[in-house]
Amino acid sequence: MNTEHDYVVVGAGTAGCVVAARLAEAGHSVLLLEAGGSDLHPMIQIPIGYGRTFFDRRLNWMYDTQPVPGLNGRTSYWPRGKVVGGSGSINAMVHVRGLPHDFDDWAEMGNPGWDWQAVLPHFIRAEDSEIEEPGWRGKGGPQHVTDMRRRVHPLCDNFFAAGRELGLPESPDFNGSHPEGLGIWQIDTRAGWRSSTANAYLHRTPGRSNIELVTRAQATRLLFDGARAVGVDYRRGRVSHSARARREVIVAAGSIASPQLLQMSGIGDGARLQALGIGTLRHLPGVGGNMQDHLAISYFYRSRKPTLNELLSPFTGKVRAALRYLWDRGGPLSASINQAGGFVRGTPDAPRPNLQLYFAPVSYTLTPLAERKLANPDPFPAFLLSFNACRPTSRGWLHITSTDPRVQPEIHPNYLSTQHDIDEAIEGIRLLHRFERTGAMAELIERQIVPAQVPQDEAGWLEDFRNRADTVYHPTSTCMMGPDPASAVVDARLRVHGIGGLRVIDASVFPTVTSGNTNAPTVMVAEKGAAMVLEDAGALV
């Protein structure tokens, strides 16, 4: 079957849903291709249900990396959404934009129009925030952002008291004018349901006739007329189809699948493509390179005070939580386990916040990772403290090993490959130990349970970090934005270098990973990218 639309968008994930909706609002016809299936699944829509999608092959690509030298040869498991809404349908829903200097850095890297003042309007346009601050927060936008400050567990008060003992600032709103400090994470929910971009942008106008969503549609290669993209070949089951784009093809398949599709289509490192029998359309060695991610470690403590474990572990507690959710969409099932945390400086002389902290009044230490369910925690009171470095400098890469899109690419995160990242790991561990020694935390902690044997020096800290630290599921930058085709993949208007009619709009274009969770900045990139597409098409937005 052959079809033709103004725009073909590959990937109905976090970015693709935004782009398709905005182009359709402007009157264009859009074909939106999604390799996964429908997001109309209770474990997606109920906020705490995301734990049950963690190892569900129907909803999740379930990538595994290659062994990582910096993690003592361990592999890392990378869940990514295989469903409408993409990873925004299976994530922990934390809504944080990143810090303003993240985007000023993007502009200073040769990307005009991506500084903080330029991107802020697109964050605001996307939001329907319960927190109001004129000039900083949005009201009435598609994606509802829930203020959780009055809904978190009282154990968070001890976390904040410990921070005050350490002299750390507090932030009333990580997405407002004072983002540095400790505070409560906001989440993307609306009335107790997940507010993914599928729900917020795509499904809110179900009668729109100029968006055609095709699920179970695996893109196999991009189509070209000379050096211009004109369409996409895709497969549904055993049947092959072609879709033509009158204006542009937009790849929004995410930080793994977007470079994978470019490489399968002859855009990437020429020598590596030729080794797979793929003719080189455009030599762009940065495709799949410059990979960045956040790497975190958690410390678990048995608590002297009640935690969420007592609410969710016993059968009677599960029943009460379910009844509460059915009654008013409230209670623990309407929340994320990520409750408190913040952005802090690991040392007093750090020029900017460089560590992200997490505090969760819940624990999962007695079951293997594959069996952990967010509504089935440890049967005793416990909590966790965790951190990751905000802006790691290690760079990884990925590359296809087959022309079959069903074969996962090789993923090499290259964690802890710089001394900067090793030093910040030590800084973060030292800060967590300082938290442990505060009076506020000492009154909570009965004993540390993971790691059971506490390393006593920096060498031991680092070895434990190498043995236990893992991804926070924030891969970015594999189709990096920048002015130089020798390293970058797209220009500042997200056009693939040297190819007409082709853009990449998703987290893979981040020049550097942002400080914090990456869903909200991905929505911003999609809003700004869609506006650029419309501007270049002569539309006014």
Side-chain angles (χ1 to χ4, degrees):
M1 182 177 70
N2 296 320
T3 61
E4 186 170 87
H5 295 73
D6 293 334
Y7 296 95
V8 176
V9 179
V10 181
T14 294
C17 288
V18 176
V19 171
R22 291 305 192 193
L23 297 182
E25 286 174 0
H28 297 288
S29 65
V30 180
L31 176 65
L32 180 57
L33 300 176
E34 169 54 45
S38 170
D39 62 325
L40 300 180
H41 187 292
M43 291 301 104
I44 289 175
Q45 301 303 332
I46 298 172
I48 208 169
Y50 68 90
R52 294 186 177 273
T53 67
F54 203 67
F55 285 95
D56 190 334
R57 290 192 180 277
R58 298 169 300 171
L59 307 172
N60 190 332
W61 289 103
M62 296 181 59
Y63 293 104
D64 284 296
T65 74
Q66 299 300 302
V68 184
L71 301 185
N72 285 341
R74 293 185 296 124
T75 61
S76 182
Y77 171 62
W78 284 17
R80 309 306 297 163
K82 185 182 180 182
V83 63
V84 173
S87 296
S89 284
I90 67 169
N91 69 354
M93 298 159 290
V94 173
H95 185 96
V96 62
R97 296 169 172 177
L99 301 175
H101 60 254
D102 296 336
F103 306 97
D104 292 337
D105 289 348
W106 287 11
E108 290 173 8
M109 293 172 67
N111 298 295
W114 290 92
D115 59 277
W116 173 247
Q117 289 303 318
V119 303
L120 178 57
H122 300 283
F123 279 117
I124 291 173
R125 187 184 189 206
E127 280 187 348
D128 182 25
S129 172
E130 291 184 355
I131 298 178
E132 297 185 12
E133 184 179 4
W136 284 85
R137 302 308 305 265
K139 194 70 176 175
Q143 189 165 42
H144 191 265
V145 183
T146 300
D147 178 7
M148 299 296 292
R149 286 178 293 185
R150 297 182 180 179
R151 312 181 196 192
V152 295
H153 194 277
L155 215 66
C156 294
D157 292 339
N158 288 76
F159 174 72
F160 293 125
R164 287 190 288 271
E165 289 185 52
L166 296 175
L168 297 175
E170 294 186 17
S171 171
D173 178 8
F174 297 130
N175 301 300
S177 56
H178 300 285
E180 180 177 354
L182 305 182
I184 299 297
W185 301 116
Q186 299 153 38
I187 61 174
D188 291 318
T189 59
R190 183 186 293 275
W193 298 102
R194 177 183 291 272
S195 183
S196 67
T197 58
N199 288 336
Y201 286 81
L202 196 63
H203 301 329
R204 68 190 179 104
T205 53
R208 188 181 296 281
S209 62
N210 56 338
I211 294 182
E212 182 182 353
L213 170 65
V214 182
T215 58
R216 310 292 182 190
Q218 174 72 66
T220 56
R221 63 170 182 150
L222 302 171
L223 303 176
F224 300 92
D225 182 359
R228 181 174 182 82
V230 295
V232 180
D233 277 346
Y234 65 96
R235 187 167 52 220
R236 297 191 77 203
R238 298 181 179 180
V239 181
S240 296
H241 306 266
S242 293
R244 307 285 290 191
R246 288 185 286 266
R247 290 182 176 269
E248 292 188 25
V249 176
I250 297 165
V251 177
S255 292
I256 298 175
S258 284
Q260 179 184 26
L261 180 59
L262 293 186
Q263 290 170 352
M264 290 191 303
S265 304
I267 302 172
D269 183 282
R272 300 200 67 166
L273 296 178
Q274 289 170 16
L276 292 170
I278 300 172
T280 304
L281 177 71
R282 173 70 173 168
H283 176 64
L284 286 178
V287 175
N290 302 299
M291 177 187 288
Q292 298 168 55
D293 188 21
H294 291 135
L295 185 67
I297 192 169
S298 296
Y299 289 73
F300 294 85
Y301 308 88
R302 184 144 185 159
S303 175
R304 303 179 195 275
K305 292 185 177 182
T307 68
L308 277 175
N309 290 5
E310 290 93 309
L311 292 176
L312 294 176
S313 181
F315 176 76
T316 54
K318 291 180 174 64
V319 171
R320 284 194 294 269
L323 291 174
R324 169 68 193 279
Y325 185 78
L326 290 172
W327 176 254
D328 65 356
R329 298 292 182 268
L333 300 190
S334 68
S336 169
I337 64 165
N338 294 302
Q339 295 202 353
F343 297 101
V344 300
R345 302 173 196 240
T347 58
D349 59 347
R352 55 177 63 167
N354 66 326
L355 299 176
Q356 182 177 8
L357 302 181
Y358 309 85
F359 175 82
V362 67
S363 68
Y364 305 87
T365 64
L366 298 183
T367 55
L369 181 63
E371 298 175 14
R372 292 180 188 173
K373 311 297 184 186
L374 300 187
N376 191 28
D378 290 329
F380 51 80
F383 65 92
L384 70 84
L385 281 170
S386 182
F387 82 91
N388 63 255
C390 290
R391 297 281 299 279
T393 56
S394 298
R395 300 290 183 268
W397 57 273
L398 67 82
H399 207 280
I400 59 173
T401 60
S402 169
T403 58
D404 186 343
R406 296 169 296 183
V407 176
Q408 294 189 0
E410 279 192 7
I411 302 173
H412 297 264
N414 216 21
Y415 297 127
L416 294 181
S417 58
T418 67
Q419 189 61 45
H420 170 276
D421 292 358
I422 292 172
D423 292 343
E424 289 200 327
I426 297 295
E427 280 184 23
I429 296 167
R430 181 178 292 111
L431 179 59
L432 293 194
H433 289 326
R434 290 177 62 207
F435 264 93
E436 294 170 8
R437 294 192 294 269
T438 63
M441 296 305 288
E443 75 175 41
L444 280 187
I445 296 173
E446 178 180 311
R447 60 184 173 86
Q448 182 171 301
I449 51 179
V450 176
Q453 299 297 319
V454 182
Q456 298 301 309
D457 55 23
E458 290 186 4
W461 295 354
L462 182 59
E463 187 66 10
D464 179 57
F465 192 89
R466 293 187 188 278
N467 287 333
R468 294 197 302 113
D470 212 341
T471 176
V472 196
Y473 320 117
H474 298 160
T476 70
S477 309
T478 49
C479 293
M480 186 179 75
M481 180 191 345
D484 185 1
S487 57
V489 178
V490 300
D491 65 15
R493 297 192 71 79
L494 309 185
R495 300 171 298 203
V496 175
H497 285 296
I499 302 292
L502 180 63
R503 298 189 208 228
V504 180
I505 305 179
D506 57 30
S508 71
V509 306
F510 288 16
T512 55
V513 68
T514 51
S515 300
N517 307 67
T518 52
N519 187 267
T522 301
V523 175
M524 177 277 292
V525 164
E527 285 275 12
K528 186 171 175 63
M532 288 176 166
V533 172
L534 293 172
E535 288 166 4
D536 291 349
L540 297 176
V541 292

